[in-house]
Amino acid sequence: MNASENPTARRPDGQDAGRIVIFDTTLRDGEQSPGASMNLDEKLRVAEALEAMGVDVIEAGFPIASNGDFEAVEAIARVVKDSTVCGLARASKKDIERAAMALKPARRKRIHTFISTSPLHMRAKLQMEPEAVHQAVIDSVSFARKFTDDVEWSCEDGTRTEHDFMCRCIESAIKAGATTINIPDTVGYSVPEEFGALIRMVMNRVPNIDKAIVSTHCHNDLGLAVANSLAGVANGARQVECTINGLGERAGNAALEEIVMTLRTRYDKMPFTTGIKTEHLTKASRLVSQVTGLQVQANKAIVGANAFAHESGIHQDGMLKNASTYEIMTPESVGLSESKLVMGKHSGRHAFRNKLEELGFTLDAAKLDEAFVAFKALADKKKDIYDEDIVALIDEEAREHDHIRVVSLQVIAGTKGPQTAELELEIDGVVRWHKAHGDGPVDATFKAIRALVPNTATLQLYQVHAVTEGTDAQAEVTVRLYEDGKSVNGLGADTDTLVASAKAYVNALNKLLVKRQKRAPEALSA
Ligand code: KIV
Ligand code: ZN
């Protein structure tokens, strides 16, 4: 199909009919993934990476959800200049006012307001009659327009909504001032043909649809989020909502990297373009994985560790003769390069700063000094330092707002026992010490932490992997803690696996403190 021949292709904002708006919701829907909470610094780093990558709209959070969400949206609105910054709000004045307040500093801002429209959600969740929901659509969109010209409206549970009612709500939302209409497959229930037909139905039946951009928001419960989103594009949608690594509620959302690389690789079949600099995809994927503690599965399309690896002899032989025998896109096009040996203990401050800039980190002088000291300490323990080591090191250094920090750890391990951990933690500026015995050194270390920071969280996951190759590689540890229906992932990196474990546990505890401030998830279902 040719985008310019497609009668349903419209861009009311005057953009080329084949240009797809990439709306990234890693920081909102993605952060709703179990365990994926991020602190302020981490959210800012992700937002900066999304902006550098060319994302059109960054959904930065749900400002009414907590003070932490509000502050994050406000901070992102302050620093992001090239992308539109978006805040989510339910169909209520309070939500919309809070979103508008958080977005105030943004150069380009969008309020995204939503309400459920399916019979099931209206009856069971909202306990509202359809007429009242329809009125709430008009009221919420009109109210949001008082704060910005860029208002998106979503019909939550769109794929289980009756078509007549959906068309009526969309028409009214556009009349009230909505400029983007988002059709979510909230429960990931649709199949591509059906979802494409739904978008086409909206394009054909809503009389004023030419005044808005139609958007997809597909969840991945059946593994069809990307296929459904692309079917939506083929039928007239010109915005795709997606996340890095496909993060999101339950099985996640459509993966940004898969949407973008499909459009780039199969332009012959889907002649649409995006503004994404695809060479940033691998870096963004690693950053999101690192700050959320959610590892990317090895065989994940585009950004998995095996996505460009060739194991079988026949494939390797073919690749050596001509890479396109088994490769439909180049590793370079997604920013994948060999792990580069970068530095060692003789590398200077200047080279270190250049390397950080190349990796996308800009630190002020004081932070650069601290990072350089940490780099020298690492270089004393580890001969060769790779890009991945530096990324892990900066991630550790970026935890300046944490309430709890690991000061020191001494462990007795081995066959003789008892395995013992002597631990010093700094808690809100005060250093405290504890010695604990355990069933192994990790158990002893975690017992010492629990003695210093009593909590009822249960340990759901403990995972170790090496950042790079070699026996002197840094260990990267993931710890998942669960408390009161909420789970968080903590990450720690160090050349000593036990120190990395302590850092990961403490990182998870810090995130739990942030999570405790959030409201109950059922009150905020989105
Ligand atoms: O999945 C969903 O329906 C949502 C809406 C808030 C767009 O996340
Ligand atoms: Zn969603």
Side-chain angles (χ1 to χ4, degrees), residues 163-203:
H163 290 187
D164 286 353
F165 187 59
M166 178 187 272
C167 289
R168 191 170 156 234
C169 288
I170 293 175
E171 187 181 349
S172 298
I174 296 172
K175 269 193 198 144
T179 44
T180 300
I181 296 294
N182 183 38
I183 314 290
D185 184 17
T186 304
V187 289
Y189 179 67
S190 210
V191 295
E193 207 187 327
E194 178 189 32
F195 191 74
L198 179 67
I199 298 295
R200 184 166 289 271
M201 185 281 295
V202 167
M203 302 301 297

Side-chain angles (χ1 to χ4, degrees), residues 32 62 64-66 90 95 114 518-526:
Q32 290 175 216
F62 194 0
I64 196 88
S66 69
R90 289 167 299 189
D95 275 41
F114 72 99
K518 291 212 182 201
R519 292 212 208 143
E522 62 277 10
L524 293 162
S525 135

Side-chain angles (χ1 to χ4, degrees), residues 325-481:
T325 49
Y326 288 103
E327 225 162 55
I328 58 167
M329 51 200 157
T330 63
E332 292 76 22
S333 67
V334 301
L336 193 66
S337 56
E338 281 296 296
S339 251
K340 276 185 268 160
L341 173 62
V342 287
M343 319 182 101
K345 67 197 259 184
H346 301 299
S347 305
R349 197 172 182 282
H350 187 67
F352 179 63
R353 196 187 54 213
N354 285 349
K355 188 63 201 173
L356 288 182
E357 276 167 15
E358 191 189 313
L359 292 171
F361 299 108
T362 327
L363 305 189
D364 63 30
K367 287 202 185 119
L368 180 67
D369 284 345
E370 282 171 29
F372 188 59
V373 170
F375 162 72
K376 282 288 180 188
L378 181 63
D380 274 341
K381 294 189 225 159
K382 187 174 189 298
K383 189 166 153 272
D384 300 330
I385 302 214
Y386 297 83
D387 287 0
E388 292 87 338
D389 288 314
I390 300 212
V391 173
L393 180 142
I394 294 298
D395 192 50
E396 289 288 338
E397 287 296 304
R399 296 177 183 178
E400 60 183 324
H401 295 304
D402 285 356
H403 290 278
I404 314 164
R405 293 160 73 101
V406 176
V407 177
S408 73
L409 176 69
Q410 288 298 322
V411 173
I412 300 174
T415 48
K416 287 207 176 119
Q419 287 88 13
T420 308
E422 282 186 55
L423 176 74
E424 276 184 309
L425 292 183
E426 186 186 304
I427 305 167
D428 288 326
V430 180
V431 175
R432 298 179 57 205
W433 175 91
H434 190 83
K435 181 174 178 176
H437 299 302
D439 193 5
V442 175
D443 187 46
T445 303
F446 289 0
K447 276 190 175 141
I449 296 175
R450 279 196 295 272
L452 292 172
V453 188
N455 64 82
T456 54
T458 49
L459 181 67
Q460 280 194 323
L461 175 85
Y462 171 76
Q463 192 170 282
V464 184
H465 94 274
V467 173
T468 54
E469 289 166 12
T471 50
D472 68 347
Q474 286 198 89
E476 192 166 61
V477 175
T478 307
V479 161
R480 181 178 301 160
L481 296 180

Side-chain angles (χ1 to χ4, degrees), residues 28-29 88 112 114 154 156-157 182 184 186 217 219 241 526:
R28 198 279 297 169
D29 213 318
L88 184 68
H112 175 191
F114 72 99
S154 286
E156 192 185 2
D157 205 16
N182 183 38
T186 304
H217 178 107
H219 278 270
E241 301 200 353

